[in-house]
Amino acid sequence: MTVRPLRDGRYVVETDGGTYVVDVERGTCTCPDHAIRGAHCKHLRRVAIEINEGTVPAPDERTAVCAVCGAETFVPIDATAPHLCDRHDHDPGDFVRDRETGDLLLVVAATGERADERPTGEGRLVADYETNADYGDHEPVFEAVYLDSLRDVDPTTLRRYGFPASRLQPVA
């Protein structure tokens, strides 16, 4: 069986026996087994399995491309670009490692701006720093603080630094 999402939250399921439309939210399928007998058919089960395994988006999601690596990712239907895969998206409170220095950092914010748009406290763009030259100017910027700077300091007064998304590595 091959499962493909449609734009309206339903799925097309292709089998040797035919092609059917599955609506997971309504629990319906156009196959004879479901349409005539009302049975919870194998097509409904197959779509549910593929959603749970992450091979197709859920009904309220759509497929998008990560702005950093180009990997396929699932995002809410109404999400606006840029999109990031799990490897490149960070939430406030996440610990990450700077690929350039190896230093441990704490993510404090996602700015929603690109590296070639986000100014730093010094008035330069994040993309203009020599240490960011090997990273994409188009990448979303995250603000983070160096963990070493957190000792005996009020966290609200810490200087925040902007980093292109692919410069930061999740800490396992």
Side-chain angles (χ1 to χ4, degrees):
M1 275 187 246
T2 301
V3 177
R4 289 192 329 260
L6 296 171
R7 292 179 186 221
D8 63 0
R10 297 179 305 157
Y11 302 83
V12 170
V13 179
E14 295 175 349
T15 69
D16 291 338
T19 300
Y20 309 105
V21 177
V22 171
D23 187 328
V24 175
E25 291 181 322
R26 290 185 175 170
T28 61
C29 179
T30 59
C31 75
D33 196 31
H34 181 80
I36 295 170
R37 290 183 284 246
H40 192 76
C41 65
K42 62 186 174 186
H43 311 109
L44 276 163
R45 289 190 299 273
R46 178 61 177 261
V47 171
I49 288 169
E50 295 217 12
I51 291 170
N52 288 333
E53 289 179 350
T55 55
V56 296
D60 60 347
E61 295 177 326
R62 64 182 172 85
T63 303
V65 175
C66 177
V68 176
C69 66
E72 182 178 273
T73 187
F74 301 141
V75 299
I77 288 177
D78 58 353
T80 57
H83 308 293
L84 296 171
C85 65
D86 290 340
R87 187 172 135 218
H88 293 110
D89 198 10
H90 308 288
D91 292 319
D94 285 352
F95 292 102
V96 294
R97 191 167 302 282
D98 180 349
R99 290 182 190 275
E100 295 298 315
T101 65
D103 291 333
L104 201 55
L105 300 109
L106 175 67
V107 173
V108 294
T111 69
E113 294 177 281
R114 295 166 38 130
D116 59 1
E117 300 170 334
R118 177 69 178 185
T120 66
E122 298 172 349
R124 294 171 59 193
L125 297 176
V126 170
D128 290 343
Y129 284 82
E130 186 178 320
T131 56
N132 291 333
D134 292 333
Y135 303 97
D137 292 351
H138 65 284
E139 294 183 22
V141 173
F142 291 89
E143 288 185 342
V145 295
Y146 287 92
L147 283 188
D148 288 345
S149 68
L150 295 177
R151 297 173 203 222
D152 302 320
V153 175
D154 176 4
T156 61
T157 64
L158 293 173
R159 182 172 177 196
R160 295 179 179 199
Y161 298 88
F163 295 91
S166 64
R167 182 171 171 175
L168 302 175
Q169 294 177 300
V171 176

